[in-house]
Amino acid sequence: MTRKRYAAPALFAGPLVQQATIDAFRKLDPRVLVANPVIFVTEAVAAVVTIVLIRDLLTGAATAFTAQIALWLWLTVIFSTFAEALAEGRGKAQADALRRTRTDTRAKRLVSASNDRIVETVSALDLKPGDLVRVETGDVIPGDGDIVAGIASVNEAAITGESAPVIREAGGDRSAVTGGTTVVSDWIIVKVTAQPGHSFLDRMIALVEGAERQKTPNEIALTVLLAGMTLVFIVAVGTLPGFAAYHGMAMPVVVLIALLVCLIPTTIGGLLSAIGIAGMDRLLKFNVLATSGRAVEASGDVDTLLLDKTGTITFGNRMASEVIPMPGISAHQVMEAAVLASLADETAEGRSILELARNTMNIALDRPAGASFIEFSAATRLSGVDLDGRRLRKGAIDSVVKFARQTTCGQPITEPPGFRETVDRIARSGGTPLGLVENDRILGVIHLKDVVKPDIKERFAELRRMGIRTVMVTGDNPATAAAIASEAGVDDFIAEATPQDKLAFIRAEQSKGRLVAMCGDGTNDAPALAQADVGVAMQTGTQAAREAGNMVDLDSDPTKLIEVVGIGKQLLMTRGALTTFSIANDVAKYFAILPALFVASLPALGALNVMGLSSPQSAILSAVIFNALIIVALVPLALKGVAYRPVGAAALLRRNLVVYGLGGLIVPFVGIKLIDMAVTAIGLS
């Protein structure tokens, strides 16, 4: 099934660029920039040069050189805030699309919990946790909650982007519903669990806008490193006036500031925040909502993936996989009887029998006229139909045998040859056998099984190639667990597991220094999702699971971790690549500015002018201009990310050094020389 993804706007879409430009100027507030030490220092020295320029204008000593340095220093700051604003703007554009899915929803709140037909119409904003609301065909679900009664088909396109409706029902792991989604058939009673303004959709909007994005430990460590490097260069540049005075030279403050800005790591400093924001943005393109930037980063180093079986590896409800006729009964006859006996069964198992008939045989699914249908009952564990003297029943094995005996007034019945062997075989394989009887005659056995989601085995094999060990966890007995594990292709499994067992396994793995990801959908998965380094909750799961995880997969596809891991690795690689480039590209600036500063008193330093720059002023101005423009040039790479390929650490290091290290050395030499030629040609220096 092809799913609709959230369409990300073009990288430099007109409206995005316009808004990002406005936001870039808003971010010049020093109280905002102080979180980025490199750019904060750049803004501070740009202000100093501006003050010098104003002083010189008032005294008549102003020069075009000082004005140009001031201009390009401010552009350096603005380009860095523009990169961050553009990354945030892409998230806000997606948030606006989500916000448009919300309406001023009206809710049918139950007046009395004992009568679900007596309701009052109120605004969804007036609902509070614990309220019961009735939602019928065509109604928008007014808030996050759990179904306490009924079953319905729900269109969740507002959340998942998937137009095909899904079944939601009371009980089990498919009872959670999300505000803003629409009931397309039947009815449900929903118990509201979220405060107004704090629904899942509200949190999604806040998260994709970046309002709750926190810096990751790696990002914080890199920020500290960049701040340390900046401090070192401030001290180093601060010693130059004394050195110049010793040689009888005057060292203009504007030139010193230009040198400082060119030496501190402004490139990575200006792009660091944009890289982190873009990582969360890329996840949303795969319908994964990250509630923690730290989780995105940790996903790049995951060693072990723990997956709940029911609803994660399998579809969650046992589904009919085959209908086995008894001797003397044709496959078409027994399938037709199974359909008639299931037409009044609204359970997932009953619907799966109709789906099996639709997919395998050309059998009408319409209710025949004159039939008396018996709905499925938990008390009898049977459903069926009485039609033209035929009394068809389908249900648990002991229930259908009991029904057959009642038909013969308690007389023994003759079970068909192979009936018990078929029942035992299905049970041993981990499936559930259902009997099918007509009057006192057993017609066949229906095999219900946990159906593994399609293509999951190949996806787990891809995870294995990425070095990730997959472990299935289930409450089933070892035989059933082994059968599902083999079919799904996981590396290992834990059977008869309790929530405490899942938690203990994750802690044991973490104690060995491994990073663990957990995929789950049930309330019993919540402790493990909270403990895991990367907790991916399925959107189809319970509210407790979604609250506990630090990511929510809107497609409920456990193998989505392949994309999550790839984006995590891409985030780390992008940050590493641009840091390598940023540090390497400072080398060329030494060859541009240092000769310009000292060649007059130390002619021997002229040998360092390997680029043959036209004049000292041209060299300094060209280096400052390049320093600003390179930030803009690298914005697309910061937002798109470095392409991820599953290679080893050594190969990755070599590639970084060759592509971004060597590139960081060569590109500035070429760029500064070209800028020098341009500024000289148009007379700016």
Side-chain angles (χ1 to χ4, degrees):
M1 183 183 298
T2 301
R3 290 192 179 269
K4 174 186 171 185
R5 304 293 177 199
Y6 288 112
L11 192 61
F12 289 106
L16 276 186
V17 172
Q18 293 171 15
Q19 188 59 49
T21 302
I22 296 171
D23 291 341
F25 283 94
R26 289 175 180 164
K27 288 178 177 289
L28 294 179
D29 185 341
R31 293 170 297 182
V32 176
L33 277 185
V34 73
N36 188 335
V38 178
I39 303 304
F40 177 75
V41 168
T42 306
E43 182 182 48
V45 296
V48 171
V49 175
T50 303
I51 292 171
V52 171
L53 177 62
I54 294 172
R55 183 202 65 188
D56 291 348
L57 285 171
L58 294 175
T59 61
T63 65
F65 176 75
T66 303
Q68 290 177 76
I69 293 295
L71 171 65
W72 283 103
L73 290 182
W74 281 114
L75 286 177
T76 302
V77 179
I78 292 170
F79 289 159
S80 67
T81 57
F82 174 81
E84 182 177 359
L86 186 61
E88 290 177 351
R90 290 165 62 81
K92 289 177 181 177
Q94 292 172 327
D96 289 340
L98 289 172
R99 193 177 281 110
R100 287 193 293 271
T101 66
R102 298 191 303 180
T103 59
D104 184 14
T105 306
R106 308 298 290 174
K108 300 171 184 174
R109 182 167 60 189
L110 268 61
V111 175
S112 170
S114 60
N115 190 335
D116 62 17
R117 290 291 180 179
I118 303 177
V119 300
E120 59 179 347
T121 302
V122 300
S123 169
L125 298 177
D126 294 332
L127 295 175
K128 58 183 182 296
D131 282 350
L132 297 175
V133 294
R134 183 180 180 90
V135 192
E136 300 173 311
T137 302
D139 291 345
V140 175
I141 296 174
D144 292 359
D146 289 314
I147 300 173
V148 296
I151 181 173
S153 180
V154 179
N155 184 342
E156 296 187 339
I159 302 298
T160 64
E162 170 56 67
S163 57
V166 295
I167 301 299
R168 294 285 178 263
E169 57 188 324
D173 289 343
R174 293 178 178 267
S175 62
V177 290
T178 303
T181 57
T182 305
V183 171
V184 295
S185 70
D186 302 294
W187 60 271
I188 49 177
I189 303 298
V190 177
K191 182 177 182 179
V192 176
T193 59
Q195 293 279 3
H198 293 80
S199 69
F200 182 70
L201 188 56
D202 290 311
R203 291 195 305 277
M204 283 182 67
I205 291 170
L207 288 163
V208 298
E209 284 180 329
E212 298 183 23
R213 194 191 83 85
Q214 301 296 318
K215 286 188 176 181
T216 66
N218 183 284
E219 193 173 350
I220 292 171
L222 185 53
T223 300
V224 171
L225 173 64
L226 298 180
M229 293 177 65
T230 300
L231 182 60
V232 168
F233 282 119
I234 289 174
V235 172
V237 172
T239 64
L240 290 180
F243 181 78
Y246 176 78
H247 288 277
M249 294 175 56
M251 189 68 68
V253 66
V254 173
V255 174
L256 285 173
I257 287 174
L259 174 63
L260 174 64
V261 172
C262 286
L263 296 185
I264 62 177
T266 50
T267 305
I268 186 61
L271 298 172
L272 185 58
S273 183
I275 294 169
I277 295 170
M280 298 178 75
D281 173 65
R282 285 194 295 273
L283 268 183
L284 191 59
K285 294 176 190 174
F286 288 98
N287 281 9
V288 177
L289 175 67
T291 61
S292 163
R294 180 172 187 164
V296 181
E297 186 175 284
S299 65
D301 291 320
V302 163
D303 303 293
T304 303
L305 170 61
L306 188 67
L307 306 104
D308 177 56
K309 184 207 75 175
T310 306
T312 304
I313 290 179
T314 65
F315 280 105
N317 293 306
R318 297 200 167 198
M319 302 170 69
S321 62
E322 59 178 333
V323 176
I324 305 165
M326 293 295 99
I329 310 292
S330 72
H332 192 274
Q333 285 178 303
V334 73
M335 183 65 81
E336 186 178 46
V339 167
L340 289 171
S342 301
L343 287 173
D345 183 0
E346 292 298 326
T347 67
E349 290 81 1
R351 292 192 299 273
S352 75
I353 293 171
L354 302 183
E355 188 68 21
L356 179 66
R358 182 185 296 112
N359 293 336
T360 58
M361 297 185 182
N362 187 23
I363 296 176
L365 303 182
D366 299 327
R367 294 194 175 197
S372 176
F373 288 95
I374 293 85
E375 294 184 0
F376 176 81
S377 165
T380 63
R381 296 190 295 167
L382 290 173
S383 68
V385 62
D386 294 340
L387 176 66
D388 298 333
R390 301 173 67 192
R391 303 180 67 202
L392 290 167
R393 298 293 185 272
K394 175 219 70 190
I397 297 298
D398 56 345
S399 297
V400 297
V401 171
K402 181 180 179 181
F403 174 83
R405 286 174 181 162
Q406 290 173 345
T407 304
T408 62
C409 299
Q411 297 299 314
I413 63 169
T414 302
E415 294 184 357
F419 172 67
R420 286 293 167 181
E421 289 82 351
T422 300
V423 169
D424 292 342
R425 175 177 58 80
I426 293 172
R428 284 195 304 271
S429 71
T432 300
L434 296 181
L436 184 63
V437 63
E438 179 180 347
N439 299 328
D440 62 347
R441 183 186 182 193
I442 296 175
L443 302 180
V445 179
I446 301 169
H447 183 180
L448 298 181
K449 62 178 291 188
D450 279 323
V451 177
V452 172
K453 293 181 179 179
D455 302 324
I456 204 166
K457 191 167 189 175
E458 292 76 11
R459 300 280 281 171
F460 283 151
E462 189 172 345
L463 282 169
R464 193 174 299 112
R465 288 191 293 271
M466 295 172 73
I468 298 173
R469 175 172 169 252
T470 54
V471 180
M472 183 189 78
V473 60
T474 176
D476 288 339
N477 62 65
T480 301
I484 297 295
S486 175
E487 185 177 354
V490 295
D491 296 316
D492 201 356
F493 66 88
I494 304 172
E496 298 177 342
T498 64
Q500 291 79 8
D501 293 332
K502 300 175 188 179
L503 200 58
F505 176 84
I506 292 175
R507 286 173 175 169
E509 290 289 292
Q510 290 172 332
S511 69
K512 299 172 186 173
R514 295 173 183 153
L515 289 183
V516 181
M518 166 73 187
C519 289
D521 69 337
T523 301
N524 64 335
D525 297 321
L529 286 167
Q531 177 68 35
D533 300 285
V534 181
V536 184
M538 302 293 107
Q539 164 64 14
T540 54
T542 62
Q543 187 74 15
R546 294 190 299 184
E547 292 285 353
N550 46 35
M551 293 187 187
V552 178
D553 178 12
L554 303 179
D555 291 339
S556 299
D557 176 5
T559 63
K560 187 73 66 63
L561 194 76
I562 293 173
E563 282 79 19
V564 173
V565 169
I567 289 170
K569 290 183 181 294
Q570 188 180 45
L571 174 64
L572 295 172
M573 289 169 58
T574 303
R575 193 179 292 149
L578 291 183
T579 301
T580 303
F581 183 93
S582 179
I583 294 172
N585 96 112
D586 285 340
V587 174
K589 299 167 193 172
Y590 303 150
F591 287 88
I593 295 183
L594 290 179
L597 289 177
F598 297 107
V599 70
S601 59
L602 298 172
L605 286 178
L608 294 179
N609 185 16
V610 295
M611 289 177 276
L613 303 179
S614 302
S615 68
Q617 283 192 336
S618 172
I620 295 169
L621 183 59
S622 299
V624 171
I625 293 174
F626 176 85
N627 196 62
L629 294 181
I630 195 63
I631 295 176
V632 178
L634 292 175
V635 166
L637 183 61
L639 297 185
K640 290 185 177 180
V642 175
Y644 165 68
R645 298 181 185 85
V647 296
L652 180 60
L653 178 61
R654 284 195 302 271
R655 189 180 74 170
N656 262 7
L657 291 176
V658 171
V659 177
Y660 298 100
L662 188 59
L665 287 172
I666 296 173
V667 169
F669 279 94
V670 176
I672 291 173
K673 177 59 178 177
L674 291 175
I675 293 171
D676 172 73
M677 293 168 63
V679 299
T680 301
I682 60 179
L684 293 179
S685 62

